[in-house]
């Protein structure tokens, strides 16, 4: 299995630190609002990476944090006149709901920054002891960037190149820095803000230190995969590397994976441009399975443009798969007895296995979900043309299981929600009635067969058409 490592700028063979096990950390959202569809991309992407690793037989320990102490959370809490805790716990709950609707599995652990302050303080103490951090007069603790030789290795820039960027960043209150490239590990409290006691001053941690501390606590000093959106490469991930490696003296993460950005109408998503959608808003128009399917239709490193038209076409694509699986479910239900694979079917299974191999080859090539999805489409098409009433129960079950397994790895549910199914059945029945009224009996029969394939039988009664599941 090959994956593209931002650290080396190349596709590399995946070799875990410990055979059979994968330790993975993905930066999670700052919880001050409903998550937007951009935040949903790393969630879906890395959930799929995790599922594929599990499919390969790895035991995956997956940690993803919630940043629940941050300026934006504090600002919102002040606006609403509540504690910042009330804001963050509200949006963690909402975020988990959105994740479930997108079939993103909960992480093994979802640590919250505010519950790991002790861990962060411990790490900062180690950095001070080793000369990689210092306390300024006002109590702020800074990381001494120049003390870490490898700084810039992830973003492939050296400190001199980065220096000009730093000079532009003049933050008031950070005058105690020894050097403009130094960054905050701990800052003094301000009026009305949450704070914790520390050896340096009462205050709160900087953002970068939380991921280094939580990753170390839950996964150890060295991990296999670290993920997040590409905007996090610099400075966030660069700073995480500096903190973790300066403290431990060991390589922090072996593979760094970054997803490309999700844009709207080819523009950066931004509130001020008015092109900004929360997952919740999209969920009002589309089943969030469609959003997941849409995200996986592109390679995770490519930029992805969001539009309603593209979502519509993803909905149609997903429908094709669901219809294919439902047809197989209907056929399976009507075949109570197995007769074994016929000789012809044995050959068909071999052909179908080639689609599965194509799917796996795509996933092994840096999680190319776009090509993996195409292989699923090909398999569904193959199934639609080769499975029918004359197929053996074994052949039908083989096809259904194979399609379902490949979809599950992508996190795509193959069972339609009951309400959606009912709505669809009602709509098909209506279309059939209309066809009959118009004396288009061949279309009416075709619809009856389509419903039968879905496991629905119709009864024409005096009170009208009734339907039941087989
Ligand atoms: P934040 O809450 O801003 O820290 O973001 C949480 C995660 O969402 C990070 O991994 C970001 O890189 C990612 N992210 C934010 N906006 C986008 C976007 N438009 N497209 C893709 N990923 C994004
Ligand atoms: Zn992080």
């Amino acid at each position: 299995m090959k994956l593209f490592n931002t650290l080396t700028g190349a596709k590399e063979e995946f070799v875990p630190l410990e055979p059979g096990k994968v330790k993975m950390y993905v930066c999670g959202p700052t919880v001050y609002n409903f998550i937007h569809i951009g935040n949903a991309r790393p969630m879906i992407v890395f959930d799929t990476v995790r599922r594929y690793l599990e499919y390969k037989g790895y035991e995956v320990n997956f940690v993803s944090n919630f940043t629940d102490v941050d300026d934006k959370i504090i600002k919102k809490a002040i606006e609403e006149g509540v504690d910042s805790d009330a804001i963050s716990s509200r949006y963690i709950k909402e975020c988990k709901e959105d994740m479930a609707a997108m079939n993103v599995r909960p992480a093994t652990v979802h640590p919250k920054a505010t519950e790991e302050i002790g861990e962060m303080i411990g790490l900062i103490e180690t950095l001070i002891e080793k000369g990689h951090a210092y306390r300024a007069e006002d109590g702020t603790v800074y990381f001494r960037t120049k003390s870490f030789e490898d700084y810039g290795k992830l973003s492939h820039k050296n400190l001199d190149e980065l220096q000009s960027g730093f000079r532009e960043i003049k933050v008031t209150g950070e005058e105690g820095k020894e050097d403009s490239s130094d960054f905050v590990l701990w800052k003094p409290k301000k009026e009305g803000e949450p704070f914790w006691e520390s050896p340096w001053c009462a205050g709160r941690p900087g953002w970068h230190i939380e991921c280094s501390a939580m990753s170390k606590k839950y996964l150890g000093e060295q991990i296999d995969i670290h993920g997040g959106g590409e905007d996090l490469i610099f400075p966030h991930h660069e700073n995480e590397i500096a903190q973790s490696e300066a403290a431990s003296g060991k390589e922090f993460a072996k593979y760094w994976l970054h997803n490309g950005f999700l844009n709207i109408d080819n523009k950066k998503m931004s509130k001020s441009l008015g092109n900004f959608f929360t997952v919740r808003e999209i969920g009002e128009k589309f089943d969030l399975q469609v959003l997941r399917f849409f995200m996986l239709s592109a390679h995770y490193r490519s930029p992805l443009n969001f539009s309603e038209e593209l979502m519509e076409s993803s909905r149609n694509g997903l429908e094709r798969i669901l219809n294919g699986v439902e047809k197989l479910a209907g056929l399976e239900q009507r075949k109570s007895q197995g007769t074994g694979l016929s000789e012809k079917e044995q050959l068909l299974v071999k052909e179908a296995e080639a689609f599965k191999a194509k799917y796996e080859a795509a996933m092994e090539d840096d999680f190319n979900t776009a090509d993996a999805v195409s292989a699923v489409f090909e398999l569904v098409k193959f199934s639609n043309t080769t499975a029918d009433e004359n197929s053996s129960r074994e052949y039908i079950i083989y096809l259904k299981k194979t399609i379902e397994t490949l979809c599950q790895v992508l996190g795509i549910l193959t069972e339609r929600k009951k309400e959606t199914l009912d709505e669809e059945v009602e709509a098909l029945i209506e279309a059939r009635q209309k066809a009959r009224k118009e004396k288009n009996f061949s279309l009416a029969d075709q619809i009856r067969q389509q419903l039968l394939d879905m496991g629905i039988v119709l009864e024409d009664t005096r009170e009208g058409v009734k339907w039941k599941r087989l």
Side-chain angles (χ1 to χ4, degrees), residues 161-328:
E161 282 173 278
L162 292 170
Q163 205 74 39
S164 59
F166 287 127
R167 247 176 258 127
E168 287 160 22
I169 310 167
K170 283 199 189 102
V171 183
T172 38
E174 293 190 3
E175 293 83 2
K177 276 184 183 184
E178 283 176 3
D179 188 89
S180 58
S181 64
D182 296 348
F183 59 89
V184 174
L185 299 174
W186 187 267
K187 54 185 157 194
K189 72 170 180 181
K190 283 195 201 136
E191 193 56 36
E193 292 188 356
F195 67 91
W196 292 264
E197 293 303 331
S198 83
W200 317 290
C201 66
R204 61 183 169 106
W207 170 39
H208 315 297
I209 196 72
E210 76 176 73
C211 291
S212 287
M214 294 192 246
S215 182
K216 174 168 170 271
K217 176 168 173 188
Y218 293 98
L219 298 170
E221 284 174 336
Q222 293 188 285
I223 64 171
D224 295 287
I225 298 176
H226 194 119
E230 65 183 7
D231 58 321
L232 300 186
I233 297 173
F234 182 83
H236 184 55
H237 287 164
E238 201 71 76
N239 291 356
E240 278 188 39
I241 291 178
Q243 297 161 156
S244 297
E245 297 191 359
S248 73
K250 295 177 191 152
E251 184 178 51
F252 173 36
K254 215 169 157 188
Y255 305 95
W256 287 84
L257 270 56
H258 293 100
N259 64 271
F261 250 47
L262 179 82
N263 300 316
I264 296 186
D265 298 327
N266 294 309
K267 282 184 222 107
K268 196 175 156 61
M269 227 178 17
S270 102
K271 270 187 182 158
S272 55
L273 288 173
N275 57 355
F276 177 94
F277 294 117
T278 62
V279 167
R280 216 40 84 84
E281 283 168 319
I282 297 306
E284 282 166 16
K285 288 193 188 159
F286 296 92
D287 185 327
L288 289 173
Q289 287 292 302
V290 176
L291 182 66
R292 179 168 187 128
F293 194 64
F294 162 75
M295 298 266 189
L296 297 178
S297 65
H299 190 276
Y300 76 90
R301 283 194 290 122
S302 317
L304 176 59
N305 193 44
F306 179 91
S307 73
E308 289 224 358
E309 296 83 71
L310 291 170
M311 282 288 284
E312 302 276 357
S313 84
S314 291
R315 172 156 61 194
N316 295 339
L318 189 56
E319 282 289 306
R320 280 209 319 268
I321 297 175
L322 297 186
N323 289 340
V325 174
E326 259 159 27
K327 177 186 167 185
L328 292 169

Side-chain angles (χ1 to χ4, degrees), residues 150 174 190 374 386 398 441 446:
D150 283 342
E174 293 190 3
K190 283 195 201 136
S374 305
T386 61
Y398 160 79
F441 296 110
Q446 210 179 309

Side-chain angles (χ1 to χ4, degrees), residues 57-123:
Y58 289 109
E59 187 188 306
V60 184
N61 197 347
F62 185 97
V63 177
S64 189
N65 64 310
F66 283 119
T67 299
D68 63 347
V69 52
D70 175 89
D71 289 344
K72 292 186 220 102
I73 301 173
I74 296 167
K75 186 166 167 262
K76 181 115 173 178
I78 294 169
E79 277 166 18
E80 290 195 17
V82 295
D83 271 4
S84 47
D85 247 11
I87 299 293
S88 57
S89 46
R90 182 198 306 161
Y91 290 112
I92 286 174
K93 186 175 154 282
E94 302 292 4
C95 175
K96 286 185 174 172
E97 256 179 52
D98 287 339
M99 284 167 65
M102 298 185 294
N103 206 21
V104 170
R105 279 166 47 200
T108 318
V109 195
H110 276 292
K112 291 182 229 160
T114 55
E115 289 173 5
E116 311 289 350
I117 303 287
E119 203 67 30
M120 296 182 218
I121 290 177
L123 187 55

Side-chain angles (χ1 to χ4, degrees), residues 46 49 83 102 111 124 141 183 194 197-199 247 288 295 308 332 344 349-350 355 368-369 372 406 444:
F46 293 107
V49 167
D83 271 4
M102 298 185 294
I124 298 171
V141 182
F183 59 89
E197 293 303 331
S198 83
L288 289 173
M295 298 266 189
E308 289 224 358
E332 184 191 346
K344 187 177 153 227
V349 166
K350 275 200 187 130
F355 296 117
N368 190 339
T369 53
L406 301 188

